[in-house]
Amino acid sequence: MTSTTFDIGGELTVRRLGFGAMHLMPAPAPVREASIAVARKAVALGVTLIDTAHMYSWGGNEELLAEALHPYPDELHIATKVGVSLVDGEWRYDGRPPVLRDEVDQALRRLRLDRIELLQLHRIDPDTPLADQLGVLGELRAEGKIGHIGLSEVTVDELDRARSIVEIASVQNRYNLLDREHEPVLEACEAAGIAFLPWRPVAAGNSGARAEVAAVAAELGATATQVALAWLLARSPVILPIPSTTGFDHLEENLAAARLELTPDHFDRLDLVSERG
Ligand SMILES: NC(=O)c1ccc[n+]([C@@H]2O[C@H](COP(=O)([O-])OP(=O)(O)OC[C@H]3O[C@@H](n4cnc5c(N)ncnc54)[C@H](OP(=O)(O)O)[C@@H]3O)[C@@H](O)[C@H]2O)c1
């Protein structure tokens, strides 16, 4: 049985099945109250890693999480992302050091934290030298404003270049049972003990793939989504899925996937599905 926890950067212990807050909306009541209730329920059900971003409602998602969960339990860590900005009503990748520094300061204020334990660069800005983008994150770490640095949507080459500049604790790429484009990045993370946070972990898939996943789900008395999440947890000990939902039912269903044990036969059948899918 694989571990239910992972130490990000070798020291930040989180339960491997986390929660993505992107779909929670800082909208007026009653949507806001519903979003707050879901965030609180996630923590009540044992989530210790929540993922958000400056980009999600331009800080509104971070504020919502603070309203829902502050003061935070000791074991809870909220990871955020910077580097996608709103400029003249349009979003753009913006990794200029003063912008990253400002977005981190905004996040600290909105999340009501002295230190963000995991700060991820949402995207590498192609118009700013990588050494400048990671350099300022390294400075923020030295200043104690952030604990660990992560990346998002990177190739193996970008990960290698980043690691030659600063220590990287996590990578967040799109990856699920049926979408394994970033398999080489996952393998690089596994080799280096870097946390891999697959986004879009709730895989839909084509009808053929769905039929096989449904068959495994029926054998286990589980749902297809639970099988997809259990497969991710079984795929690699460095994988920390961050499924998102706006509903209690899906939240409970998704988090229960941590208790689902796939047999080697189930794992292999799903592995084949993903190759076809
Ligand atoms: N780094 C990046 O570039 C990036 C990009 C996108 C997302 N992310 C992060 O990754 C997290 C997850 O990504 P995601 O939201 O794109 O993908 P996801 O978690 O795979 O999918 C979320 C969608 O699936 C539905 N869903 C959740 N549980 C379900 C279940 N048990 N059965 C059926 N449907 C279910 C949700 O609808 P309901 O609300 O109806 O449950 C929602 O529409 C985000 O919250 C965000 O933190 C990162």
Side-chain angles (χ1 to χ4, degrees), residues 37-55:
V38 168
R40 288 181 178 155
K41 183 77 175 175
V43 174
L45 290 173
V47 164
T48 58
L49 175 66
I50 296 182
D51 181 70
T52 180
H54 175 81
M55 187 193 184

Side-chain angles (χ1 to χ4, degrees), residues 219-272:
E219 287 167 34
L220 288 165
T223 68
T225 299
Q226 288 175 324
V227 166
L229 292 172
W231 180 85
L232 282 172
L233 292 169
R235 169 65 189 84
S236 167
V238 303
I239 288 190
L240 280 56
I242 44 169
S244 187
T245 180
T246 51
F248 273 32
D249 290 355
H250 285 169
L251 182 67
E252 286 173 355
E253 175 186 336
N254 296 350
L255 293 176
R259 297 189 293 275
L260 193 63
E261 294 265 4
L262 300 179
T263 65
D265 174 60
H266 288 137
F267 184 86
D268 291 345
R269 279 164 58 195
L270 294 166
D271 222 31
L272 280 175

Side-chain angles (χ1 to χ4, degrees), residues 20 22-23 51 123 152 172 200-202 244-246 250 254:
M22 185 176 78
H23 292 274
D51 181 70
R123 289 290 186 280
S152 173
Q172 183 174 138
R200 192 71 46 77
V202 177
S244 187
T245 180
T246 51
H250 285 169
N254 296 350

Side-chain angles (χ1 to χ4, degrees), residues 53-77:
H54 175 81
M55 187 193 184
Y56 305 160
S57 304
W58 306 112
N61 196 271
E62 293 170 338
E63 264 170 10
L64 182 85
L65 290 174
E67 184 180 335
L69 302 170
H70 191 273
Y72 306 112
D74 287 348
E75 64 278 12
L76 177 65
H77 299 293

Side-chain angles (χ1 to χ4, degrees), residues 168-240:
I168 298 297
S170 72
V171 167
Q172 183 174 138
N173 277 17
R174 194 190 65 241
Y175 182 87
N176 61 49
L177 173 59
L178 304 171
D179 178 354
R180 297 175 63 177
E181 178 191 341
H182 291 299
E183 198 73 39
V185 182
L186 167 61
E187 282 164 14
C189 286
E190 190 172 273
I194 293 172
F196 184 89
L197 282 61
W199 63 266
R200 192 71 46 77
V202 177
N206 60 37
S207 54
R210 275 204 300 269
E212 184 66 347
V213 177
V216 171
E219 287 167 34
L220 288 165
T223 68
T225 299
Q226 288 175 324
V227 166
L229 292 172
W231 180 85
L232 282 172
L233 292 169
R235 169 65 189 84
S236 167
V238 303
I239 288 190
L240 280 56

Side-chain angles (χ1 to χ4, degrees), residues 130-203:
L130 185 59
D132 291 359
Q133 299 175 62
L134 296 174
V136 71
L137 298 187
E139 286 170 22
L140 288 160
R141 192 178 56 188
E143 291 164 23
K145 289 186 172 180
I146 65 181
H148 299 274
I149 298 168
L151 301 171
S152 173
E153 283 301 287
V154 290
T155 63
V156 172
D157 179 56
E158 288 168 335
L159 175 60
D160 287 345
R161 284 197 289 129
R163 293 183 68 211
S164 72
I165 299 167
V166 75
E167 199 178 324
I168 298 297
S170 72
V171 167
Q172 183 174 138
N173 277 17
R174 194 190 65 241
Y175 182 87
N176 61 49
L177 173 59
L178 304 171
D179 178 354
R180 297 175 63 177
E181 178 191 341
H182 291 299
E183 198 73 39
V185 182
L186 167 61
E187 282 164 14
C189 286
E190 190 172 273
I194 293 172
F196 184 89
L197 282 61
W199 63 266
R200 192 71 46 77
V202 177

